[in-house]
Every structure is written in C-alpha cells, then in structure tokens.
Amino acid sequence: MIHVEHLSKSFRVFQKDPGFRGSLRSLFKRKWIEKHALKDLNLHVGPGEIVGLVGANGAGKTTAVKMLAGIIHPTSGTANVLGHTPWQRKNAFRREIALLMGQKAQLWWDLPAGDCFELLRDIYSLPEAEFRKTLGSLTAMLGVEGQLRTQIRRLSLGERMKMEIIAALLHQPKVVFLDEPTIGLDLTAQRAVRKFLLEYRASHRPAMILTSHYMEDIEQLCERIVILREGEKVFDGPLADIQRAHSVRKVVIARLGEPAAGSEAAWERFELPAAWASAVRRTAEEVRYSVDRGRVAEAASRMLQGMPVADLSIEEEDISNLIEALLHRRPQ
Amino acid sequence: MLRYLRLYAAFVRFSFSKAMVFRLDFSFRIVMDLIYYAVNLAFYGVITSHSEQLAGWDSGQVRIFVSGYLLLDAIAMTLFSTNLWMFSKAVNTGELDYHLVRPVSSLFFLSLREFAANSFVNLLMAAGIMAWAIGSYSESFSAGRVILYLALILNGTLLYYVLQMLTAVPVFWTQSGMGLQGLFHQMARLMERPDGVFRGWSRKIVTIFVPFALMASFPARVLFSAEVDYGLLLHLAAVTAAFWGILLFVWARGLRAYSSASS
C-alpha cells in the first residue's frame, strides 16, 4: 500500500547572528544553510500493518509523514501510496488517506463535534446512511456518544483527541498517518486510544504509520518499527529483531526470601564482577543485574549461591533502552 | 460543479452556526461596515455638491459608481476576505496541512471555507444602496444593461479576489505576508476612484498591471454609455483571464514551496 524509494527532503534554513547588529546584517546579506530533514528513506507498508516511526525530535518522522500524506514535496525520491504519487494531491488519493496530528487540531474550536463531522461528510461526499453508521460505530468504540453536541473547546483533552480520531476516520481511509496521537493524554486516555486503534486495525485493515515518543504506543501497537536518526533510517524490522540484533545483555532478577540467621551481612555485600554485570536495582526484596548474554548462567548460579533467593527470573533488556541506545549512537 | 455548490452551501451553513455563537461580534461587524458605507457616500456627496462633474460623471452617476464598489466590497468581505486574512497564519503555523489533505480543490477550500455571515447583512444593505442609486438616477436603464452591469461588478469581484490572493500567496516564500497584504489594501483604494481621474501611464497601470479601475469604474462606464463598448468588455475579459491564469500558476508554485511548520 505504501512504497517509498530513496525519499529525501532538504530545507533551506535562514541563519541570523544574535542581536541588533545581526538583524541589520541579515537585512542586506542572508546566510542560509541546507538542513537535511530526511535522507534516502526506503519503506514498504502493507495492509493491516502498523509501522512505528521512531526517532528523537528533528529526526525526520513528521517530515516523512507529511510527504506521504502529500502535504510537502520531496527534494528527491519517489513514493507510491495506493497507486498515487502523494504530492500530486489527486482527490482519489486524498479520499483514501487520513492524517491525524496530535499537536494540531483539525476540528473547529467553537462548534460541537457533531457539526464538524457534518461538514466532513459534505467534504468527503459520504452517503447519509453510511456516514451515520460509521459515526455511530466510531463514537461507540471510543465511548463519546454523549459528547457530540458539546463545543469542542469544552471537551477534555482526551475527549477532544477521540473526536479528532473520529474526524480522521469517518471516510474509512485505507491508509492512516498518525503523528503523535496520544501526546499529552493521561494514561487512561492513552490506553483507550491504543485499544481503539487496535480494534480499528482488526476491523478495517488499513495501513498505518505511527509516530510517537511514547514507547508504550510503539510496543503495543507496532509489530514493526523504523528508527530514524538525523534523517537517516538506522533500523527497520520487527521489535523483536531489535532485541536479537542489538541486545547484548539480559536482566537477571532475584526476588529475595528470608536470609538464614546470621547471614545478613554476608549477602548484602554480594557483588557480581563489574566487567560483565552491573546492578540495576537493589532493595531488601529484589536485586536486578544487567548481565552480558554469555554470562547469564554464571550470574544466575552465583546469585543463587550468594543470596537467599526465593525466586529467580531472566528477562530481555527493556526495548525502550535499546531504542534509546540506537537513537543516540553516533553514525559510523 | 454540483458537488462544489453543495459543499459551498455546507460552508455557508457551518459559518452561520459559528457566527451565531458570538452574538456581540456579529452585530459589531455590521456597525463597522455601516460606518464605511456612510463615510463613502458622504465623501462623494460633499465633492459632487461643490462640483457639477467628477471625472466626467454627474452626482447621480457618481452615486451609482460608489454603490458599485460598496457592493463589490460587501461581496468580497462576505465570500473570501476573511479567508485571505487568515491565509498567511495558516501557512506559517502549518494549519494549511489539514486543508491540503481534503479531497477538494485547495484554492477553493482555502478561499471560501469561511462565509462571513455577519457581512452578509451588509451585503443586503449594499445591494439596497445600489438599487436606490440606480432607481433614483435621472434616466432609466434597460434591464439588460443593469444585468450586464451586475455581471461586470461580479467580474470585478473576481479580479479583486485574484489580486488579493496574489498578494497573499508569496507568504509561501517570504513567511511574512503583512507587508504585501498592507500594500494590497492601500492599492485597493484605487478601485474607489473613477477611472477618468487617471491619465497617461497611471491609466495603463490601473487598467492593465494592477487593474483596480476595471472593478467598479469600467462596469459603471459600460452602464452609462449609449452603446455597449465591446472593446471595453474584451479588455475586461482578457485582463481577468490573464490574472486568473497567473494566480493558478503562482498557486501551484507556492504549494510546491510549502514547507509546513514543525510540530
């Protein structure tokens, strides 16, 4: 559904020296720099797939989404979304896609959501019966049936975002771009949005591209992620592959029982060699070590012998730490 | 075409709903335009009370000319001016993004989505002033000539829109639209002068390059002339078509240059 080849985007950015003198100089002589927002992106997304675009601020996630939604033109490269070149902005293309930006409202602030949806019905020329059916189903899934007559400005942030989601999906798009859909929401609202997106994906099978800074969004919604660093793709694959390819450590967790009489001081001094293990957490109830993969068995054995262990478990390293490490690793 | 008419009807309904939310503001805009009408009629009333003719027109003709640009202004204010004022903000804040993903002509959507419901009342008043100016004129006009006059005022409105949009679109490159839009509003005052006051090179400028004289003055000239001046009509059509073509070209280039705003 989405095929991207060598997509790049550069912006010319004006640079001004600070202060009044800098302003005066810039009036006569401008300094411009070329900023490469996205470099040579290749990407393929199929129906029913949710791909997470992950990266630090300014990594090029939103630029990529805006090019694929047809809002901005690329500097070079090609993209094919549902058989269309997005930036040609054909109506047939725009009828089949949806864009939701968590940081920008598309609904009209002073009117109830119901009125805004009516206008969108006219914009997308949706048949009345189909519109009512979709609206009913979306409002029920998101639990906002009772809020349709309330002015948007009077809704809570969570309710507003739910209305924004409905506005984006009313025309049942085949491709959905979600740019930080849970930003600013409390945990309950985040969970509700994620649950809805999974249900919607299951029932409608759209291709979705999601950007988010919340790892829970990525972990729970995306089977596959693309990591961007300074405009370049540094990883593209299933979440599990990140662990396989980049995780060099595992976490060994010991839950502690009652120590034998007189042994407190001995086990409290217990340490694993710093060369291949480091303590992540140490309390009276639990000790966690991050251990080199090749030393896991040895670490477990030493911990069982050296501490009053009631229960021992071995886990993969937290995915968010791995992504974080990938994001900040300098390009080779 | 039918789809766009239906959509426009939806814009109008939607805008009325929005305007009614702010009742006080609704009435202030009506008062504001009423003052504008009164000042313009009084201004030319004073001039024609001291001079029998102004640029070849008597007081009755001047009144019709004034009613023409008041009607044009009311149509512009009602249909598109609000949209064009908000345009540079939409470009700079990235609000334009959502408009560009809708399956509707972006130029149509951006120019007409806000129908100024409160100016609509003024539009009715401006139409009333025109009816009064034409009705109270010393000679009577044929119905055909009045219809032609109204059609030319609508053509003038289109030209006014094109020029206003042409001064708004450069914001894609300049990022700030204040200067050019201010220039447009200053130049738009040329529309409020009878074309007879312009001679030589200044006439060429206001009839070809910044054709404000074609908006209300030329239509009035067509209404007053004994025979229809087809040369004048051809000039009007050619200049309007040329400017429309320029706008479409510049608009397409502008959208290519649009860089949105960071989130």
Side-chain angles (χ1 to χ4, degrees):
Chain A
M1 289 184 126
I2 301 174
H3 301 280
V4 177
E5 305 285 344
H6 307 294
L7 200 65
S8 298
K9 178 71 185 175
S10 302
F11 294 103
R12 232 172 129 228
V13 183
F14 164 51
Q15 298 283 294
K16 185 187 90 62
D17 294 331
F20 179 70
R21 199 176 278 187
S23 304
L24 207 60
R25 200 175 299 132
S26 77
L27 199 59
F28 299 100
K29 196 173 177 193
R30 294 257 148 145
K31 257 195 282 183
W32 297 90
I33 59 158
E34 191 91 345
K35 192 177 169 216
H36 302 289
L38 196 68
K39 298 175 205 165
D40 202 33
L41 178 70
N42 292 295
L43 181 67
H44 301 276
V45 186
E49 198 176 5
I50 306 182
V51 172
L53 275 188
V54 182
N57 289 329
K61 310 181 296 289
T62 303
T63 303
V65 164
K66 283 182 180 173
M67 280 195 283
L68 295 179
I71 293 169
I72 54 177
H73 282 243
T75 308
S76 61
T78 60
N80 184 311
V81 179
L82 298 164
H84 300 275
T85 300
W87 42 92
Q88 286 177 352
R89 282 194 280 267
K90 298 255 171 68
N91 281 349
F93 162 73
R94 294 188 287 188
R95 274 179 206 288
E96 302 286 5
I97 65 148
L99 170 69
L100 175 74
M101 291 181 278
Q103 307 216 48
K104 274 182 204 152
Q106 62 177 311
L107 296 174
W108 290 264
W109 199 241
D110 302 313
L111 286 176
D115 284 8
C116 302
F117 297 152
E118 291 287 341
L119 182 62
L120 288 169
R121 177 175 72 88
D122 289 314
I123 289 173
Y124 286 93
S125 309
L126 301 174
E128 176 75 22
E130 185 190 316
F131 166 74
R132 296 277 158 226
K133 192 172 158 223
T134 314
L135 182 61
S137 140
L138 292 173
T139 49
M141 280 166 90
L142 283 162
V144 286
E145 303 100 314
Q147 317 290 335
L148 288 176
R149 291 175 189 277
T150 309
Q151 257 185 325
I152 297 288
R153 63 162 77 239
R154 307 255 175 237
L155 297 175
S156 71
L157 184 61
E159 289 166 339
R160 219 153 61 215
M161 185 51 72
K162 288 175 184 174
M163 295 303 184
E164 292 278 344
I165 292 172
I166 294 171
L169 301 178
L170 267 178
H171 60 289
Q172 304 187 54
K174 292 195 176 101
V175 170
V176 182
F177 300 104
L178 301 161
D179 188 19
E180 303 193 48
T182 56
I183 194 158
L185 302 186
D186 63 34
L187 289 174
T188 314
Q190 280 183 36
R191 249 178 245 135
V193 168
R194 282 196 285 265
K195 181 170 171 281
F196 167 79
L197 289 174
L198 286 173
E199 285 172 7
Y200 186 83
R201 190 264 295 267
S203 56
H204 291 77
R205 308 279 302 153
M208 294 196 196
I209 291 187
L210 168 94
T211 79
S212 179
H213 287 290
Y214 297 140
M215 282 318 299
E216 267 192 85
D217 286 352
I218 301 293
E219 284 182 78
Q220 291 180 23
L221 294 174
C222 312
E223 298 85 5
R224 195 177 129 211
I225 65 165
V226 171
I227 300 180
L228 295 175
R229 187 175 57 210
E230 294 173 18
E232 278 180 277
K233 185 168 84 174
V234 292
F235 177 84
D236 182 350
L239 268 175
D241 279 6
I242 293 191
Q243 271 156 338
R244 270 197 294 276
H246 299 278
S247 174
V248 290
R249 306 197 124 201
K250 284 199 171 198
V251 182
V252 184
I253 306 156
R255 278 173 202 91
L256 304 176
E258 283 295 315
S263 67
E264 288 92 338
W267 78 261
E268 278 172 3
R269 284 197 299 276
F270 175 85
E271 286 290 354
L272 287 174
W276 48 268
S278 58
V280 182
R281 177 185 160 94
R282 198 176 179 120
T283 65
E285 293 82 31
E286 187 185 282
V287 176
R288 281 172 180 249
Y289 271 98
S290 170
V291 180
D292 281 359
R293 276 179 175 265
R295 301 279 197 160
V296 170
E298 185 182 347
S301 163
R302 286 201 193 191
M303 286 164 82
L304 286 169
Q305 285 170 20
M307 289 189 286
V309 176
D311 181 35
L312 188 109
S313 58
I314 298 164
E315 291 181 0
E316 290 290 348
E317 212 176 347
D318 187 354
I319 191 87
S320 59
N321 292 341
L322 293 172
I323 292 173
E324 185 78 11
L326 271 171
L327 288 180
H328 294 101
R329 195 177 294 167
R330 300 304 309 162
Q332 302 298 307
Chain B
M1 185 67 187
L2 204 61
R3 177 175 171 246
Y4 277 86
L5 282 175
R6 263 204 305 270
L7 187 54
Y8 192 65
F11 286 168
V12 173
R13 281 197 308 274
F14 191 76
S15 300
F16 265 102
S17 305
K18 261 178 37 175
M20 305 289 186
V21 175
F22 306 105
R23 286 179 297 185
L24 205 59
D25 184 61
F26 189 83
S27 46
F28 278 153
R29 281 189 66 162
I30 294 170
V31 173
M32 180 185 85
D33 280 0
L34 268 178
I35 294 171
Y36 171 68
Y37 297 160
V39 166
N40 276 272
L41 285 169
F43 173 70
Y44 281 105
V46 169
I47 292 176
T48 51
S49 68
H50 289 85
S51 157
E52 279 194 5
Q53 288 217 319
L54 179 67
W57 286 342
D58 62 29
S59 62
Q61 289 173 319
V62 168
R63 221 167 20 235
I64 292 173
F65 160 68
V66 172
S67 75
Y69 75 72
L70 292 184
L71 182 65
L72 187 156
D73 178 78
I75 299 172
M77 291 288 284
T78 308
L79 300 191
F80 51 80
S81 283
T82 312
N83 297 288
L84 271 51
W85 291 333
M86 295 190 301
F87 178 71
S88 64
K89 184 175 160 252
V91 171
N92 286 324
T93 58
E95 268 174 48
L96 196 64
D97 295 357
Y98 279 125
H99 297 117
L100 296 181
V101 296
R102 305 285 181 224
V104 180
S105 152
S106 45
L107 196 55
F108 167 82
F109 196 15
L110 277 154
S111 306
L112 296 172
R113 76 191 189 285
E114 291 286 343
F115 178 90
N118 30 19
S119 289
F120 182 66
V121 180
N122 302 56
L123 178 58
L124 298 177
M125 284 191 291
I129 292 171
M130 178 173 276
W132 162 72
I134 292 176
S136 63
Y137 186 57
S138 53
E139 293 168 32
S140 60
F141 303 106
S142 69
R145 192 61 75 89
V146 173
I147 290 169
L148 178 62
Y149 174 61
L150 289 175
L152 294 180
I153 289 290
L154 288 180
N155 181 76
T157 312
L158 175 66
L159 205 45
Y160 183 93
Y161 158 76
V162 171
L163 288 183
Q164 190 173 4
M165 198 64 190
L166 277 173
T167 55
V169 176
V171 75
F172 281 122
W173 296 277
T174 61
Q175 267 77 54
S176 167
M178 297 286 283
L180 261 176
Q181 288 193 42
L183 180 69
F184 170 80
H185 287 293
Q186 286 306 316
M187 293 189 65
R189 300 177 75 170
L190 295 170
M191 172 183 80
E192 300 169 6
R193 308 286 176 262
D195 68 285
V197 304
F198 301 103
R199 303 251 178 259
W201 58 268
S202 67
R203 187 170 182 79
K204 276 203 174 61
I205 289 174
V206 297
T207 57
I208 297 173
F209 301 110
V210 278
F212 287 99
L214 272 54
M215 294 170 188
S217 199
F218 269 36
R221 196 163 287 289
V222 170
L223 180 69
F224 303 145
S225 62
E227 297 292 325
V228 175
D229 184 344
Y230 289 103
L232 211 61
L233 293 183
L234 191 65
H235 179 99
L236 280 166
V239 172
T240 308
F243 271 87
W244 181 248
I246 292 169
L247 174 63
L248 292 182
F249 176 77
V250 174
W251 178 249
R253 304 295 297 178
L255 287 182
R256 268 192 84 86
Y258 179 54
S259 56
S260 187
S262 89
S263 55

